[in-house]
């Protein structure tokens, strides 16, 4: 059902979304939201407990909070509306990112797939004018058992720039192992019994104020993770 292995799971349908909350033994919480009709992943986020402050800050892996930048500013500072913002929004066949607020010409941007032997694979975005640099991690690859992890190909990395939107779109083709993993989780969701609840009902698990949900318990571990167009969920 969930793409996060293990843990205790709570699942509901609310406001047109299938919502799955996973609580791991170490206290880490995950929330995933899928479109009720298409089953497309709309949001995935997690937070880890803080030793001194209790609940940690939500970190967005896919999607982001409505009306705000998904990247976190340093303590005591706010992000400028003109700062570049990167949001992930996948399709069935592609990992995809939209990097907004990039006003420079298309030739200014370059992306590189890095696969160091002693660190997780990542995509590095650079600008020729040295005004912006970002390392984009793909944690989904780390969830595949090490013995089954694929060899990543640089030919599967693509980018295109939209000057009207001042946005760079980056996409990387999902390896077959990830597609199989996600298809198995999707089959489990399709056969699962979600509780459908009104948005007026109280929440059964902790989420930020604007993101309510309610509950049904189940327990499942996702198994290893295929269709595609270069569009991005993030707007």
């Amino acid at each position: 059902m969930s793409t996060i292995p293990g843990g205790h799971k709570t699942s509901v349908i609310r406001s047109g979304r299938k919502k799955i909350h996973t609580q791991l033994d170490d206290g880490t919480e995950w929330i995933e939201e899928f479109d009720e009709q298409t089953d497309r992943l709309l949001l995935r986020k997690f937070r880890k407990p803080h030793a001194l402050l209790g609940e940690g800050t939500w970190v967005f892996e896919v999607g982001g909070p409505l009306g705000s930048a998904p990247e976190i500013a340093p303590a005591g500072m706010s992000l400028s509306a003109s700062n570049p913002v990167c949001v992930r929004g996948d399709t069935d066949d592609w990992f995809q990112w939209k990097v907004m607020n990039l006003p420079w010409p298309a030739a200014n941007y370059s992306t590189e797939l890095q696969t160091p032997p002693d660190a997780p694979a990542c995509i590095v975005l650079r600008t020729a004018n040295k005004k912006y640099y970002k390392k984009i991690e793909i944690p989904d690859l780390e969830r595949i058992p090490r013995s089954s992890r694929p060899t990543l190909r640089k030919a599967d990395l693509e980018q295109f720039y939209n000057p009207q939107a001042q946005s760079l779109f980056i996409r990387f083709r999902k390896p077959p192992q990830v597609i199989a993993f996600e298809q198995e989780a999707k089959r489990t969701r399709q056969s699962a019994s979600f509780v459908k609840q009104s948005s007026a009902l109280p929440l059964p698990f902790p989420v930020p104020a604007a993101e309510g949900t309610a509950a049904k318990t189940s327990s499942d571990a996702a198994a290893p993770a295929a269709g595609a167009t270069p569009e991005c969920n993030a707007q």
Side-chain angles (χ1 to χ4, degrees):
M1 183 190 324
S2 169
T3 57
I4 304 303
H8 175 76
K9 301 189 187 300
T10 305
S11 57
V12 300
I13 293 178
R14 188 185 178 106
S15 302
R17 296 188 176 199
K18 300 175 184 177
K19 304 192 178 189
I20 303 172
H21 175 268
T22 300
Q23 181 85 40
L24 300 181
D25 292 341
D26 66 359
T28 300
E29 295 177 73
W30 287 86
I31 291 180
E32 296 171 285
E33 299 185 3
F34 301 84
D35 185 274
E36 182 181 0
Q37 301 302 319
T38 66
D39 204 49
R40 184 174 183 175
L41 177 63
L42 304 175
L43 180 146
R44 184 192 293 139
K45 63 182 179 181
F46 70 92
R47 67 179 176 186
K48 297 183 177 182
H50 192 283
L52 298 178
L53 303 179
E55 294 179 344
T57 300
W58 287 108
V59 177
F60 287 80
E61 195 174 283
V62 176
L66 294 176
S68 63
E71 297 184 304
I72 300 172
M77 299 177 64
S78 59
L79 285 170
S80 166
S82 62
N83 281 357
V85 173
C86 181
V87 181
R88 177 176 157 188
D90 295 352
T91 67
D92 286 345
D93 289 336
W94 298 86
F95 298 118
Q96 292 192 149
W97 299 265
K98 179 180 181 181
V99 188
M100 298 168 279
N101 299 330
L102 295 178
W104 310 292
N108 191 58
Y109 310 103
S110 65
T111 52
E112 176 189 5
L113 175 67
Q114 294 187 349
T115 56
D118 55 349
C122 65
I123 296 168
V124 174
L125 167 61
R126 295 184 176 90
T127 57
N129 61 6
K130 303 187 185 303
K131 293 291 184 70
Y132 186 67
Y133 172 93
K134 184 169 183 63
K135 181 180 290 188
I136 301 173
E137 297 181 346
I138 314 176
D140 309 61
L141 300 174
E142 299 303 306
R143 297 183 188 121
I144 299 175
R146 186 171 295 276
S147 60
S148 302
R149 287 182 191 171
T151 299
L152 304 180
R153 306 187 312 161
K154 295 182 179 181
D156 288 332
L157 176 62
E158 300 179 359
Q159 70 179 63
F160 55 99
Y161 180 70
N162 183 328
Q164 288 73 34
Q166 295 192 342
S167 296
L168 181 72
F169 293 85
I170 302 169
R171 69 180 192 171
F172 184 73
R173 189 182 299 277
K174 293 179 180 179
Q177 292 89 336
V178 172
I179 292 175
F181 177 89
E182 293 178 345
Q183 285 183 331
E184 178 60 29
K186 183 175 183 177
R187 282 191 289 270
T188 306
R189 284 194 302 276
Q190 290 172 338
S191 61
S193 176
F194 283 77
V195 171
K196 194 161 188 175
Q197 298 222 341
S198 164
S199 58
L201 294 177
L203 310 183
F205 50 77
V207 294
E211 298 184 44
T213 317
K216 181 235 171 217
T217 62
S218 71
S219 197
D220 79 75
T229 55
E231 58 179 300
C232 189
N233 284 342
Q235 301 295 325

